[in-house]
Amino acid sequence: MKLLTSSAKLSTTTPTLFVAAILMLLWSGFAAAQDIESPVAVKLTLANGKDVYRSGETVGLVLSFSTDLPGYKVQGDQGTYLEKVVISPQSGVFDWKTDFYGGEERPSDGSGFSVLGNVPTEVKISLNDYYRFDAPGKYTVRLITKRLRKDKAGGGIFDFEDPTEITTNAVSFEIKPMADTEEEAEAKRLGAAIESAKDLREQIRFAQDLANLPGDAAIPEKVSRYLWSLKQSGGNFAGALSKGLFISRNRALVIRKLEDILSDVSKAVDFNVLSTLSFLRARVVIAESGKPYKRPSDFLPLPADDPYTKAKQYYLRFVIDSLQKRTGKNLVDTAAGIIVMEHRDLEPDVLATVRGILLKNFDSLDILAREQLVSIRWEQIRDPSLVPSLERMLSATDYPTMYRLNVHTTGLTR
């Protein structure tokens, strides 16, 4: 009986030990397989080793990729669609990026790739491109990145296997409050730095830093520099400042300031401002509704009841109603902007009014604005009375030579 009991104990214990041993072997094999299948080292660090930031300061991250094996590249785009940010705690942050895009950012058309080797290749990322920090405290973050690409066997130079998601190590940092007086001073410093920057890259960097300041104290400078940026040629930092208005916590204040600008009938309407205002108003309406919103496809027109459509119509009607209060160049430039930017949304009577203003005052427009009108809105303004004006365009010489071919080609065609 004792022997049977001992045998029973042995028979129940042996399978358990055997299964445990098998599991250990399988785990060892799995770990080894993981090492074999992940030949690229990826490390996340804080830019410049900085781990304490004031609210609104740009939190810089650096992804470092390296490998001893050939055939690997890393995508260097700045688009946020290439990373998923895992941050803790989430209670003190606002996911402004998802709110801005109505979902995920669309992938960019162009991609830049770097060949990997044993010397680390770095990709710099701003955490502020994803989140606005609304509460001081300590935060921990890791990234799930899709930047790593492996060459496809027998493929071309940009023929890759599907990207593999890789989760990085975690890094921690602290956010400290920034007083209103500090934020106002920092906004003014960055605004001046944008204007005096030595090149476009530096200008964009300062613009992004200004955009990240979230408080009311920074809004006047953000609005001012956004308007200033729209008048600059050869720069694309206006986009960063436009997002900066959206990043601000108090969007209602931003809207009021932009509406004041739109209401100034002594100046022609800048339709970039109208577009930004429409976007902000739509997002406020969506937030107040408490309902989730997913923007329809970029390739389809928005329905009439969409918040973006309604917001745009609201401000377009505001501008159209203001025409009777405008005079001179202000009136003509605003009418030209309406027909160039919003021709699809104009009712027949409004189109007739705008068309009449332009036909009567066509020659008072800048010659490049005239060329644009007869090039892209010919069907809306076509009229025999424009023939003498077109002939004067062909004989004009008081504008840069580099634009002559376009002006002459368009003028002769029309």
Side-chain angles (χ1 to χ4, degrees):
M1 190 68 179
K2 287 181 180 179
L3 183 59
L4 280 172
T5 303
S6 298
S7 298
K9 286 182 179 179
L10 183 61
S11 64
T12 56
T13 303
T14 301
T16 304
L17 292 172
F18 178 76
V19 170
I22 292 297
L23 286 174
M24 288 181 67
L25 286 171
L26 287 173
W27 176 253
S28 299
F30 176 76
Q34 285 286 87
D35 291 338
I36 293 171
E37 294 174 3
S38 303
V40 177
V42 184
K43 184 179 181 182
L44 181 67
T45 57
L46 292 162
N48 304 316
K50 183 176 179 178
D51 60 1
V52 178
Y53 301 85
R54 294 180 299 167
S55 176
E57 280 192 302
T58 301
V59 181
L61 302 176
V62 180
L63 272 169
S64 299
F65 298 82
S66 61
T67 184
D68 291 324
L69 297 179
Y72 287 92
K73 293 182 176 69
V74 64
Q75 193 168 346
D77 301 23
Q78 291 301 305
T80 58
Y81 62 93
L82 289 166
E83 266 84 32
K84 179 182 178 182
V85 176
V86 182
I87 192 165
S88 178
Q90 291 189 326
S91 56
V93 298
F94 173 65
D95 184 358
W96 77 265
K97 180 209 65 162
T98 301
D99 193 37
F100 181 85
Y101 289 107
E104 290 301 312
E105 180 187 6
R106 283 65 165 172
S108 61
D109 294 331
S111 297
F113 292 90
S114 299
V115 177
L116 292 183
N118 53 17
V119 176
T121 296
E122 294 185 345
V123 177
K124 295 181 179 179
I125 294 169
S126 168
L127 192 53
N128 307 68
D129 287 345
Y130 300 80
Y131 290 105
R132 184 186 71 208
F133 291 91
D134 288 338
K138 293 186 177 180
Y139 295 87
T140 298
V141 65
R142 60 170 50 87
L143 302 180
I144 301 173
T145 181
K146 296 188 290 186
R147 293 181 181 272
L148 183 64
R149 306 302 294 269
K150 188 177 188 303
D151 292 342
K152 185 175 288 186
I157 188 170
F158 291 117
D159 197 5
F160 305 119
E161 295 180 2
D162 292 337
T164 302
E165 290 187 346
I166 301 175
T167 303
T168 71
N169 56 293
V171 295
S172 297
F173 56 91
E174 184 177 0
I175 299 291
K176 290 189 173 182
M178 183 186 290
D180 288 347
T181 52
E182 291 180 291
E183 185 177 57
E184 182 181 10
E186 179 68 358
K188 289 181 177 179
R189 181 189 73 80
L190 289 168
I194 292 170
E195 192 165 349
S196 61
K198 63 184 180 183
D199 55 34
L200 179 59
R201 178 174 294 187
E202 192 174 75
Q203 221 166 23
I204 292 173
R205 179 167 61 83
F206 289 134
Q208 289 171 336
D209 287 345
L210 175 59
N212 291 335
L213 296 175
D216 289 11
I219 288 176
E221 187 68 26
K222 290 168 85 168
V223 170
S224 174
R225 289 300 163 181
Y226 166 65
L227 297 174
W228 180 82
S229 71
L230 295 176
K231 295 180 173 62
Q232 308 309 304
S233 60
N236 61 359
F237 56 96
L241 293 171
S242 175
K243 286 183 180 179
L245 300 178
F246 189 83
I247 290 171
S248 297
R249 294 190 191 100
N250 192 346
R251 292 179 186 168
L253 177 58
V254 175
I255 289 173
R256 286 200 300 272
K257 288 191 172 296
L258 291 179
E259 285 181 342
D260 287 344
I261 293 160
L262 199 67
S263 300
D264 186 355
V265 294
S266 68
K267 298 176 183 176
V269 172
D270 188 320
F271 283 81
N272 291 291
V273 174
L274 186 147
S275 179
T276 299
L277 252 176
S278 301
F279 190 89
L280 284 163
R281 181 182 177 89
R283 292 311 306 184
V284 168
V285 169
I286 290 167
E288 289 177 348
S289 74
K291 299 177 181 177
Y293 175 85
K294 185 173 178 59
R295 191 174 179 119
S297 169
D298 290 340
F299 303 103
L300 298 174
L302 293 174
D305 61 348
D306 186 271
Y308 288 96
T309 305
K310 288 184 174 180
K312 191 171 186 179
Q313 284 293 337
Y314 174 85
Y315 287 116
L316 179 58
R317 173 50 60 183
F318 184 90
V319 171
I320 290 168
D321 290 344
S322 77
L323 286 174
Q324 59 186 332
K325 302 175 185 178
R326 300 177 186 272
T327 58
K329 190 174 186 301
N330 175 348
L331 172 64
V332 183
D333 287 349
T334 300
I338 289 173
I339 209 166
V340 167
M341 303 294 292
E342 314 296 343
H343 74 285
R344 290 189 181 88
D345 299 322
L346 299 182
E347 297 171 355
D349 61 325
V350 174
L351 178 60
T353 299
V354 172
R355 184 174 182 274
I357 293 169
L358 293 173
L359 291 177
K360 183 179 179 181
N361 301 278
F362 186 79
D363 285 347
S364 68
L365 286 167
D366 173 87
I367 193 167
L368 299 184
R370 281 177 269 161
E371 191 278 331
Q372 182 186 42
L373 269 177
V374 298
S375 174
I376 67 174
R377 295 292 176 262
W378 182 241
E379 293 307 315
Q380 285 75 36
I381 66 166
R382 182 174 183 167
D383 193 272
S385 67
L386 287 178
V387 171
S389 296
L390 295 174
E391 291 175 345
R392 282 189 285 273
M393 284 175 61
L394 294 175
S395 61
T397 58
D398 57 342
Y399 65 100
T401 306
M402 62 186 292
Y403 300 116
R404 300 273 170 87
L405 180 60
N406 278 353
V407 171
H408 285 187
T409 301
T410 301
L412 286 169
T413 302
R414 298 314 183 203

